[in-house]
C-alpha cells in the first residue's frame, strides 16, 4: 500500500475509536503532552535488555525512588511494569516463590471481595487459592473476615487503596497490624489510588503506604492517574530480596538476570512517566487531583439535588450512583453519547472523574442523567 493509503486507513480506524470527552467509565485518560513527547523520543528503548539503554535504566531507577518517596519510603525496590495486572501477579509470585522455597506446598492469599479481576488470573497462573473476604457497610474489606480466613497456608493479605468499582480505600493500617503480627506479606493494590490518595485533603484518614511497617509491597499505575502513556505500572517492594525471588538468569543479554514478568519491555512508557512526574512535580499532581475531586463533589452534589444518592460518599474520584434499572439507565446514557460503567454489588452507575472530565461536561452529564432517570 502507499503511504497515503495507510495513513488514510489509520485515520479511518482512529475515527471509530471513542475520544475520551464523553467517556466516564475509564481509569485511563489522555496522556500528558510531555509524556507523549518523551514516549515518542524513547520508542525503541527496551528495558528487557537494559544494558543497551542505560539512560532509560537511570530514569527507571530514579522513578522508583520518586514514587517510593511519595509512598513513604524512597529506599524501595521495584520496576516499571506494564500495569496493575502484572504488578499484582509479580507481588504474589514473589511471596509464593519464597514460601515454596521454604517448603510450603499448598498456599492461599486473602483478597477483598472488591479485588480486581487480575486476582482471578493470579489464581489460575500461580496456583494459589484466592480467598475472598467480605466487606463492611462502606464497601471496605471487613478486617474480622480477613482474620477469620487466615490459616497456616496463608502467604499474603491484599488490601486495596482505591477499589476498581467504588474507589474505596480498605483499612490498610489495620491490615498492616495483622500482617505484621502474624508475619504475613501484605500487598497493597494502589493501582488507581496510589497517585490520588497522597494528594487528598483527608489523606491522614487513609494511610496505605510504606510508612506503615506491615506494608510489604505496593502496586501503583502511572498510566491511570499519573497521566503517563500505556503501558506504565509500578511495583515496589520494601525489601530487595523479593526481586531476587522473581529473578531468572539471562546469560546472553547485557544484563545478568531479569525480575520482570515480560521480557521485552517498553522503555518509552518509563521515559513518559519520568517526564510527566518531573514536569508536574507534587504541586502539579496536587492541582490535577484537586480538580478531579472538585468535579467529583460537584457531580455527587448535583445528583443528590435531583434525588439520586451515591452508593458511598466518594473517597477518591470514583462516583457510584444508586438508580433503579441500572442497565436501562446506562443504555439510555449511551444513546446520549456517554460511556458509563456499572457495578455488580450493589448495582449502580459508575463514573470515574479522570483529568479529561471538565466542569462543563459534568453539568451536561447531570442534565442527561436527570432526564434519563
Ligand atoms: N488493580 C486495580 C485496583 C485496578 O483498578 C486495575 C484496573 C488493575 C489492578 C489492573 O490494572 P491494569 O488494567 O493496568 O492491568 N482497573 C481498571 C478496570 O479494570 C482498568 C481500566 C482502565 C479499565 C481503563 C477500563 C479502562 O477504559 O476497570
Amino acid at each position: 500500500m502507499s503511504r497515503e493509503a495507510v495513513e488514510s486507513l489509520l485515520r479511518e480506524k482512529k475515527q471509530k475509536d471513542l475520544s475520551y470527552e464523553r467517556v466516564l467509565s475509564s481509569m485511563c485518560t489522555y496522556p500528558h503532552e510531555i509524556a507523549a513527547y518523551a514516549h515518542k523520543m524513547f520508542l525503541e528503548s527496551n528495558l528487557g535488555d537494559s544494558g543497551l539503554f542505560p539512560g532509560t535504566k537511570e530514569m527507571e531507577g530514579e522513578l522508583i525512588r520518586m514514587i517510593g518517596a511519595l509512598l513513604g519510603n524512597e529506599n524501595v525496590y521495584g520496576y516499571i511494569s506494564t500495569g496493575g495486572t502484572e504488578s499484582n501477579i509479580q507481588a504474589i509470585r514473589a511471596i509464593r516463590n519464597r514460601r515454596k522455597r521454604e517448603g510450603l506446598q499448598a498456599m492461599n492469599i486473602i483478597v477483598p471481595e472488591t479485588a480486581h479481576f487480575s486476582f482471578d488470573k493470579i489464581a489460575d497462573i500461580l496456583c494459589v487459592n484466592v480467598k475472598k473476604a467480605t466487606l463492611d457497610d462502606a464497601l471496605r474489606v471487613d478486617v474480622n473476615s480477613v482474620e477469620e480466613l487466615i490459616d497456616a497456608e496463608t502467604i499474603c493479605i491484599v488490601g486495596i487503596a482505591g477499589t476498581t468499582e467504588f474507589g474505596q480505600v480498605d483499612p490498610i493500617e489495620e491490615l498492616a497490624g495483622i500482617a505484621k503480627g502474624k508475619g504475613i506479606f501484605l500487598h497493597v493494590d494502589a493501582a488507581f489510588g496510589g497517585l490520588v490518595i497522597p494528594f487528598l485533603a483527608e489523606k491522614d484518614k487513609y494511610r496505605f503506604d510504606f510508612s506503615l511497617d506491615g506494608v510489604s509491597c505496593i502496586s501503583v499505575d502511572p498510566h491511570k492517574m499519573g497521566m503517563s502513556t500505556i503501558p506504565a505500572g509500578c511495583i515496589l517492594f520494601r525489601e530487595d530480596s523479593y526481586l531476587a525471588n522473581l529473578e531468572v538468569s539471562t546469560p546472553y543479554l547485557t544484563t545478568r538476570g531479569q525480575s520482570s514478568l515480560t521480557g521485552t519491555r517498553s522503555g518509552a512508557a518509563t521515559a513518559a512517566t519520568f517526564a510527566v512526574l518531573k514536569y508536574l512535580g507534587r504541586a502539579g499532581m496536587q492541582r490535577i487531583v484537586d480538580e478531579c475531586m472538585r468535579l467529583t463533589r460537584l457531580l455527587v452534589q448535583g445528583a443528590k439535588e435531583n434525588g439520586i444518592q451515591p452508593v458511598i460518599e466518594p473517597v477518591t474520584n470514583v462516583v457510584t450512583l444508586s438508580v433503579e434499572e441500572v442497565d436501562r439507565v446506562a443504555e439510555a446514557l449511551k444513546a446520549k453519547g456517554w460511556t458509563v460503567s456499572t457495578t455488580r454489588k450493589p448495582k449502580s452507575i459508575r463514573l470515574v472523574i479522570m483529568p479529561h472530565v471538565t466542569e462543563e461536561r459534568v453539568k451536561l452529564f447531570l442534565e442527561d442523567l436527570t432526564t434519563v432517570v
Side-chain angles (χ1 to χ4, degrees):
M1 293 176 82
S2 69
R3 170 80 198 206
E4 289 71 29
V6 174
E7 284 186 10
S8 147
L9 200 54
L10 289 174
R11 277 194 300 274
E12 187 191 313
K13 301 297 181 196
K14 182 79 182 172
Q15 266 200 334
K16 291 187 181 169
D17 287 355
L18 299 189
S19 67
Y20 273 119
E21 270 70 36
R22 283 174 172 253
V23 172
L24 299 174
S25 61
S26 176
M27 286 188 160
C28 289
T29 188
Y30 292 115
H32 193 284
E33 177 276 322
I34 204 160
Y37 171 84
H39 193 105
K40 201 169 168 195
M41 183 183 284
F42 285 82
L43 264 187
E44 73 283 15
S45 168
N46 171 19
L47 281 170
D49 195 8
S50 62
L52 300 180
F53 304 99
T56 314
K57 186 73 194 158
E58 269 178 33
M59 286 192 280
E60 181 178 46
E62 195 171 337
L63 264 177
I64 297 304
R65 282 192 299 281
M66 280 163 68
I67 300 176
L70 181 69
L71 302 183
N73 185 349
E74 68 175 345
N75 296 312
V76 286
Y77 306 88
Y79 71 93
I80 300 299
S81 70
T82 52
T85 299
E86 178 180 345
S87 297
N88 285 342
I89 292 171
Q90 292 288 80
I92 307 305
R93 188 172 151 237
I95 184 63
R96 189 218 45 182
N97 287 356
R98 175 169 298 193
R99 291 281 180 259
K100 205 168 166 183
R101 256 162 237 161
E102 289 169 2
L104 201 62
Q105 304 271 323
M107 296 178 235
N108 67 60
I109 67 172
I110 300 168
V111 309
E113 254 175 28
T114 38
H116 183 257
F117 55 75
S118 46
F119 287 95
D120 297 334
K121 300 181 185 178
I122 285 168
D124 184 29
I125 301 170
L126 295 177
C127 303
V128 294
N129 187 11
V130 176
K131 299 203 222 178
K132 298 203 171 166
T134 55
L135 311 177
D136 67 15
D137 290 346
L139 306 178
R140 289 176 297 234
V141 75
D142 179 347
V143 177
N144 294 323
S145 169
V146 172
E147 278 193 296
E148 279 164 20
L149 289 173
I150 295 175
D151 61 26
E153 292 172 352
T154 303
I155 59 167
C156 174
I157 298 171
V158 175
I160 313 169
T163 60
T164 308
E165 288 180 292
F166 299 95
Q168 182 57 285
V169 182
D170 286 328
I172 308 291
E173 193 163 0
E174 288 175 64
L175 294 179
I178 296 170
K180 194 164 180 238
K182 298 200 184 274
I184 298 174
F185 187 91
L186 174 63
H187 170 54
V188 178
D189 182 351
F192 182 69
L195 288 171
V196 178
I197 301 163
F199 304 103
L200 294 178
E202 321 78 37
K203 61 173 179 287
D204 294 339
K205 265 174 66 187
Y206 303 104
R207 292 185 63 202
F208 73 101
D209 65 14
F210 288 114
S211 64
L212 301 170
D213 272 355
V215 172
S216 319
C217 178
I218 303 179
S219 154
V220 49
D221 283 354
H223 70 204
K224 296 191 168 82
M225 279 296 287
M227 304 191 67
S228 186
T229 55
I230 298 169
C234 177
I235 172 126
L236 300 172
F237 293 99
R238 186 186 291 277
E239 291 170 26
D240 197 12
S241 56
Y242 285 107
L243 283 178
N245 292 131
L246 292 169
E247 191 170 314
V248 297
S249 68
T250 52
Y252 55 86
L253 297 188
T254 55
T255 49
R256 187 179 44 84
Q258 196 174 82
S259 298
S260 55
L261 185 62
T262 60
T264 301
R265 180 157 73 90
S266 165
T270 291
T273 306
F274 179 84
V276 67
L277 293 187
K278 282 278 182 195
Y279 183 75
L280 290 173
R282 290 198 190 192
M285 281 300 298
Q286 183 72 57
R287 279 193 297 276
I288 286 165
V289 173
D290 280 349
E291 180 63 2
C292 291
M293 291 308 296
R294 184 181 77 82
L295 296 180
T296 297
R297 287 188 292 269
L298 194 73
L299 179 52
V300 171
Q301 189 196 332
K304 283 181 178 170
E305 280 163 13
N306 288 293
I308 302 166
Q309 298 301 321
V311 177
I312 57 164
E313 283 300 327
V315 174
T316 56
N317 43 327
V318 178
V319 177
T320 44
L321 300 173
S322 305
V323 297
E324 283 175 22
E325 304 177 279
V326 167
D327 295 328
R328 182 196 61 83
V329 172
E331 288 280 303
L333 287 167
K334 182 85 197 160
K336 289 187 178 286
W338 302 102
T339 309
V340 302
S341 52
T342 57
T343 60
R344 296 161 297 176
K345 205 181 147 191
K347 279 209 101 182
S348 71
I349 296 286
R350 167 181 175 271
L351 313 157
V352 191
I353 310 306
M354 293 300 289
H356 60 261
V357 179
T358 61
E359 179 164 345
E360 190 197 350
R361 282 198 209 104
V362 168
K363 289 182 173 158
L364 289 172
F365 175 77
L366 277 169
E367 282 174 25
D368 285 344
L369 176 74
T370 315
T371 311
V372 161
V373 169

